[in-house]
Amino acid sequence: MMKLSIQRKIVVGFGLTSSLIVIVSLSGYYSAFRLREANHKELHAKKVLTKLEEVLAEITDAETGQRGYLLTGKPRYLEPYKKAIDKVEDDIKQLQALTADNPYHQKKLDVVVPLIDEKFTELQQTINVRNKQGLDAALEIVNTNQGKLIMDQIREVFSKMKAEEERLFQARAQRTQGTVHTTIWIFSIGLAFDLGILVFVYSHIYREINQRLQAQDQLRDSESRLTQFLEAIPVGVFVVDQNGTPYYANQTAKKLFGQGIIPKTSANLYPEVYPVYSPKAEKVYPHNLEPIIQALNGKSSVHDGIEIHQPDKIVPIEVLGTPIFDDKGNVTYAIVVLNDITERKRAEAERLKFTCHLNQLNQAFSRFVPGQFLQLLNKQSIVDVKLGDQVEKDMSILFSDIRDFTALSEGMTPEENFKFINSYLSRMESIIIKNQGFVDKYIGDAIMALFSGSADDAVKAGIAMLNQLVEYNQHRANCNYRAIKIGMGINTGTLMLGTVGGYNRMDTTVISDAVNLAARLEGLTKNYGVSLLISHHTFKQLQNPSDYAIRMIDHVKVKGKSELVTVYEVFDADLPEVREGKLANQDRFALALSLYSQQAYAEALQLFEACLRQNQGDQVAQIYQQRCHLNSNTNAV
């Protein structure tokens, strides 16, 4: 009865201690979380203050550069102005993101952003006046003090924002200090209670240990029973004392080693008496790495790269070595458990062979069904694909085709045709993959590729394919082959991607109006004499269209569709002189196109002819020149 009472006290004591530890730990965790949150907010406040200073400095640098240019007329003074224009918009966006959770700052930013735009407009106006009318005219604008008033307003708003952020920073710092004091008190009180309870518990544990020492005699009686258990288990058990002298080996261990306990065997004789070997070698396993030696050194270890060489076979074994310590931490025994893993090794070899074969099959199938296609269907392997599997995705579709391929192929043998087409397709495929796309199918010389990421991936792939074509044509010229041209169309939209066919033969495909439109755009490249066309759906999905050499060229009704499609030309890969000419005519061409759409054919004709005078290689401008003549004649009639 007394023993049961002591156990209850121990359980209650440890329960109270554990409860207090949990409470203190939770309080500490909560305090630490609040400290981390406060530190994060303090760092956030510093970032906001820094970003405010950066934006104000950029505006000041722009104003300083503008003043230097006005006074000297030297373009180098405009460098700070240009850098500020390039950088201030991104910094304002970062500032808006940093202060998204602060309504006060957001209101102030709503006020200051138009002021900044107005300030840069004023700076650009004075620069333009300086360029066209001279210093005096520019100074008249400066002397109106309009720019100074705007700058003062900007500084006033930024000053209020900095004051607000500094106020928040101070408030958070005070809350952090309060949290630290609270945490210290909680830990101090909890530690005092825990120490008191632990003293009580350990005093009763000590008394309990003295009582249990009397039970050790009963444990000795169970040793024989334990030996029976060890003899019955199907793994080998080998025990040595602290000196390395063999103490016990069960029947399985004796069978594995081919012998039992050899008296007076020291640890340094194990390689001769109980030899084990490195796998697939006649070399004895390193003595210092043997599990029994490591266990004698106080280290537990597991090894499955060991073999026992019996007269008629080699047995692979897994060995677990474990030291047994006394109350003072000294090793008293070392135990190794030996498990025959012959069947496991055989199963592993068969599994490895099967896995290798399966990988080879998957690699072979991936050349017919792209891995990206399987990922979009959420399938691990081609084996998992079933007829009718489908998924709806927003993707960009790229169609490309070789111009006049029929005429080109007629002059080649079938073998030459296949060599040519594979040489071309292999170059284009690598570019598509590099830009996060994959080839859905080859249709003779045509390519249909899909891009599940951004529309920019598809456009960049198209530009890179055209650039690669330049290198490929140089290679063909070196081999006395004629150059080839390709056309590409890109559209972005929702499509159905899945498997079609029958039980014995099926294929992957994509179905959508978006796919049909991409194919139609590829066909339109022939009509306009250009290499790459994209739809307005793709144009709207571009992260930053200004990164590309791009222009709108028409509103067309595509065959089979009722609504109009806005078509854009991407001409980054044009010949340098043609590309530069199109860029130089960008505004003139857009105005001419607008006049043409308003049926002002005479005015549009003048602008298109001006475009052609500067860039004779602009085939789209040539087409519109002919259209203007035709429409003008029609109206005259």
Side-chain angles (χ1 to χ4, degrees), residues 356-369 382:
C356 181
H357 179 64
L358 186 61
N359 286 335
Q360 291 174 348
L361 285 176
N362 274 331
Q363 290 175 4
F365 277 119
S366 68
R367 286 179 287 181
F368 295 92
V369 180
I382 189 68

Side-chain angles (χ1 to χ4, degrees), residues 137-182:
L139 290 178
E140 288 181 6
I141 296 175
V142 174
N143 290 334
T144 61
N145 284 331
Q146 181 64 27
K148 181 178 181 302
L149 291 175
I150 296 172
M151 196 64 191
D152 289 343
Q153 293 176 25
I154 292 173
R155 288 193 177 96
E156 181 181 358
V157 174
F158 275 28
S159 176
K160 290 179 179 180
M161 290 178 71
K162 287 194 287 184
E164 172 65 12
E165 199 63 36
E166 288 171 353
R167 182 188 67 77
L168 292 174
F169 181 81
Q170 294 297 329
R172 291 162 182 163
Q174 291 176 0
R175 287 197 295 269
T176 301
Q177 187 176 6
T179 301
V180 171
H181 290 314
T182 302

Side-chain angles (χ1 to χ4, degrees), residues 376-393:
L376 292 171
L377 288 176
N378 197 26
K379 302 296 181 182
Q380 295 294 324
S381 166
I382 189 68
V383 177
D384 302 323
V385 176
K386 300 185 296 298
L387 181 64
D389 285 338
Q390 51 80 30
V391 66
E392 187 176 71
K393 290 285 184 180

